[in-house]
Amino acid sequence: MRIAIDIRAAGGAKAGKGWYTFNLVQELLKLDKENEYILYAKDGIAGFQQYKNATLKLIDKRGYFWHRAVAKDIVKEECEVFFAPSSYIIPAILPKFIKTIVTVHDLVVYLFPLSHNKKAVFLERIFLRRAVKRAAHILTVSQNTKHDLLEKFTIDRDKLDTVYCAASSEFQPVPKSELQDFVTETHLPEKFFLAVGTLEPRKNYLNLIKAFAQLSQKFPNYHLVIVGQPGWGYEAVYQEIKDSYLGKKVHLLGYLSNRSLGNLYNLATALVFPSLYEGFGMPVLEAMQSGCPVIASNNSSIPEVVEGNALLIDPTSHLDIAGAMIKLASDPNLGLVLRQKGLHQAKKFSWQNSADKLLEVIKSLTD
């Protein structure tokens, strides 16, 4: 059987969907030695060349023309199945005789449309609706996203499966003695809380900065380190830092490699993740697997991922966020308890288990 996959998201500076694509497809190729895979991208992507049953095919087009060219090539290559781990356009335009598997990460464009620009929201709504309707099978990254999908669309439950994300094996506890060079090179403050995620309204950085201002009054030696690329509406984050006079205590580091991010998880007092909505919430799992205590929102998929092994807060209340931060800054023993609980919880997720489930779905479509 010949299976096509869009792996564009696996290249470059990856966020949640990119790591999902990169790790899940790699594990799938390790597991499945029977079928042939064609991996479509715009540019070369490292990490897939070693698989003998996979061919990386580069299509030199941009925008919608890339999707259309790939759809035509999938037909030409006589692929039986197409897997879309991060985009809805190709599943929406492929002929119906090619069975498609679509991953829905979240329903942000319906639940939080103001967190994206209007054009992106408009286009994703169109293609998402059509892709879901035509899909032979739909994967969600959490039970919460599955619930959101069933609330929004009329879908046969038998077409739905949850295939969880996992954290990369690069995220693990590291002895403090091995981190001294990193601390020296990066001039990190001794005590800090960490936030990870694209700078955009949905990540709720404005409330986090207000919460940190409250923490600073009680614990002036603490800093806030933020890791993430500027996204839509990022300017408001810079303005809030300026208005709060916290420029010397809030550090915006931009995008970092997994290794550097893993070091920060190991050094931070806690990850603070006050997102307004998440399809999964990868940083939460990365932090737990690294042995970093977690403060996170009590909404969407996050309680499902942490299962009571983190401090959950109301993200709409900066005082609630601040209260959890103050609690951890005041009580080192609480941090140790959350560290052990998080390490145990993180073991429940693995890319191999997720790839096993994906392969079952693929086989079910061709039996």
Side-chain angles (χ1 to χ4, degrees), residues 5-23 40-43 45 48 66 85-87 105 255:
I5 306 178
D6 170 7
I7 66 162
R8 285 170 308 139
K14 291 178 279 293
K17 291 180 182 179
W19 286 117
Y20 175 87
T21 303
F22 183 82
N23 289 302
Y40 288 95
K42 290 179 182 176
D43 306 296
I45 299 176
F48 298 95
W66 184 87
S86 64
S87 174
H105 292 263
Y255 183 86

Side-chain angles (χ1 to χ4, degrees), residues 22-282:
F22 183 82
N23 289 302
L24 184 59
V25 175
Q26 276 209 337
E27 287 299 326
L28 176 64
L29 295 175
K30 289 176 188 176
L31 284 172
D32 187 5
K33 303 301 183 184
E34 296 178 8
N35 297 307
E36 180 184 350
Y37 289 85
I38 301 178
L39 312 178
Y40 288 95
K42 290 179 182 176
D43 306 296
I45 299 176
F48 298 95
Q49 289 79 1
Q50 69 267 38
Y51 301 104
K52 294 180 180 179
N53 59 334
T55 301
L56 180 61
K57 204 162 191 180
L58 305 182
I59 304 295
D60 188 21
K61 300 281 185 182
R62 291 293 179 263
Y64 178 75
F65 298 103
W66 184 87
H67 298 272
R68 192 171 68 177
V70 170
K72 286 182 178 179
D73 199 75
I74 290 170
V75 175
K76 177 186 170 185
E77 292 284 359
E78 299 181 345
C79 298
E80 295 175 60
V81 175
F82 173 70
F83 173 43
S86 64
S87 174
Y88 309 118
I89 299 177
I90 295 173
I93 64 176
L94 272 177
K96 289 184 178 180
F97 62 81
I98 295 173
K99 295 175 180 177
T100 62
I101 303 169
V102 177
T103 297
V104 177
H105 292 263
D106 55 56
L107 263 66
V108 169
V109 294
Y110 288 99
L111 301 174
F112 289 89
L114 297 180
S115 67
H116 293 288
N117 69 51
K118 291 180 181 179
K119 182 180 178 182
V121 170
F122 175 73
L123 290 174
E124 185 164 325
R125 282 187 176 186
I126 291 174
F127 288 112
L128 170 57
R129 182 178 295 276
R130 186 171 173 84
V132 164
K133 183 179 179 181
R134 294 165 64 96
H137 211 88
I138 302 165
L139 307 180
T140 64
V141 295
S142 64
Q143 290 292 326
N144 184 76
T145 297
K146 182 178 179 179
H147 175 266
D148 289 345
L149 203 56
L150 288 168
E151 286 278 305
K152 187 66 187 175
F153 301 102
T154 302
I155 300 172
D156 181 354
R157 285 179 176 269
D158 291 338
K159 282 176 54 174
L160 281 167
D161 271 299
T162 296
V163 172
Y164 284 111
C165 299
S168 167
S169 59
E170 294 176 86
F171 295 105
Q172 56 186 307
V174 179
K176 294 289 190 290
S177 59
E178 295 181 18
L179 296 169
Q180 289 308 309
D181 288 345
F182 177 77
V183 172
T184 302
E185 291 168 6
T186 53
H187 307 289
L188 280 172
E190 183 180 350
K191 294 185 177 183
F192 64 91
F193 284 91
L194 177 65
V196 178
T198 304
L199 273 61
E200 61 185 16
R202 180 168 57 92
K203 300 299 183 181
N204 200 25
Y205 283 114
L206 302 188
N207 262 351
L208 174 58
I209 293 162
K210 290 174 183 175
F212 177 69
Q214 295 284 322
L215 172 80
S216 288
Q217 292 178 16
K218 289 182 174 289
F219 295 92
N221 57 330
Y222 266 89
H223 291 240
L224 176 63
V225 174
I226 298 175
V227 175
Q229 299 182 96
W232 186 82
Y234 75 92
E235 298 90 350
V237 177
Y238 288 81
Q239 190 61 47
E240 183 65 33
I241 294 169
K242 183 179 178 182
D243 292 346
S244 303
Y245 301 101
L246 292 171
K248 292 184 178 180
K249 288 190 175 183
V250 179
H251 311 271
L252 299 166
L253 303 189
Y255 183 86
L256 294 181
S257 67
N258 277 357
R259 183 176 181 181
S260 293
L261 179 56
N263 288 342
L264 289 175
Y265 283 136
N266 274 273
L267 292 164
T269 297
L271 171 75
V272 190
F273 196 73
S275 179
L276 298 173
Y277 172 83
E278 290 293 323
F280 184 83
M282 287 278 283

Side-chain angles (χ1 to χ4, degrees), residues 265-327:
Y265 283 136
N266 274 273
L267 292 164
T269 297
L271 171 75
V272 190
F273 196 73
S275 179
L276 298 173
Y277 172 83
E278 290 293 323
F280 184 83
M282 287 278 283
V284 169
L285 190 56
E286 292 170 353
M288 289 194 298
Q289 190 169 292
S290 302
C292 178
V294 172
I295 297 169
S297 299
N298 60 3
N299 62 32
S300 56
S301 64
I302 297 171
E304 178 184 343
V305 175
V306 303
E307 287 189 333
N309 298 295
L311 296 183
L312 295 182
I313 46 87
D314 174 4
T316 65
S317 168
H318 73 275
L319 294 177
D320 202 26
I321 302 169
M325 295 170 78
I326 290 167
K327 190 180 290 186

